[in-house]
Amino acid sequence: MTSPSCAVNTRGEFATKNLWVTSHSDDERYPAGEWTPQSTGALGLPEWTSKNRSVENTDVVCWHAFGVMHVPRPEDFPVMPCETTGFMLKPDNFFTGNPSIDLPPVEDKMSKEESSCCSE
């Protein structure tokens, strides 16, 4: 949404990609680096990923960034409601088939089928 040379973009370069993956490190906590307002940029995720560390056979951290464009409405004044976004991780081809297909049917002893005027 901003120019690559813009100060917002250089300090928040983490927001230029939707997903970053790094190997876990206790001192890497903030995607824009420790001191974002005082930085000149290239800290945080851009710096960590430039090291090209392996993510194989280690704990990894997935960093996600979503840009939300808020179009103001009259209802938003004077207090803007919450904007939400999210994502879900779903396995694909984790099983060779649906493992629940071969389960026996469940019979609920408490359920009773009753005749009614509409069942005839």
Side-chain angles (χ1 to χ4, degrees):
M1 287 192 224
T2 61
S3 164
S5 60
C6 175
V8 170
N9 199 48
T10 55
R11 290 183 180 168
E13 194 175 343
F14 68 92
T16 61
K17 295 178 179 49
N18 291 336
L19 182 69
W20 301 73
V21 179
T22 62
S23 55
H24 179 265
S25 177
D26 286 337
D27 60 338
E28 295 174 354
R29 299 182 300 168
Y30 306 107
E34 289 282 334
W35 316 108
T36 307
Q38 291 86 16
S39 80
T40 56
L43 299 175
L45 284 168
E47 177 187 22
W48 305 332
T49 55
S50 70
K51 297 174 186 174
N52 205 21
R53 297 175 297 184
S54 175
V55 293
E56 250 183 82
N57 299 319
T58 187
D59 291 336
V60 296
V61 179
C62 292
W63 306 80
H64 63 86
F66 296 103
V68 177
M69 183 68 156
H70 173 69
V71 180
R73 310 170 301 155
E75 295 84 4
D76 294 341
F77 184 81
V79 179
M80 182 183 142
C82 180
E83 278 294 333
T84 60
T85 187
F87 76 103
M88 182 182 298
L89 297 175
K90 289 185 174 184
D92 188 22
N93 293 324
F94 188 74
F95 296 111
T96 56
N98 186 338
S100 65
I101 286 181
D102 293 333
L103 293 176
V106 177
E107 187 177 317
D108 186 357
K109 305 270 189 233
M110 299 302 290
S111 294
K112 296 179 184 176
E113 186 175 332
E114 294 188 24
S115 62
S116 68
C117 65
C118 302
S119 65
E120 296 175 9

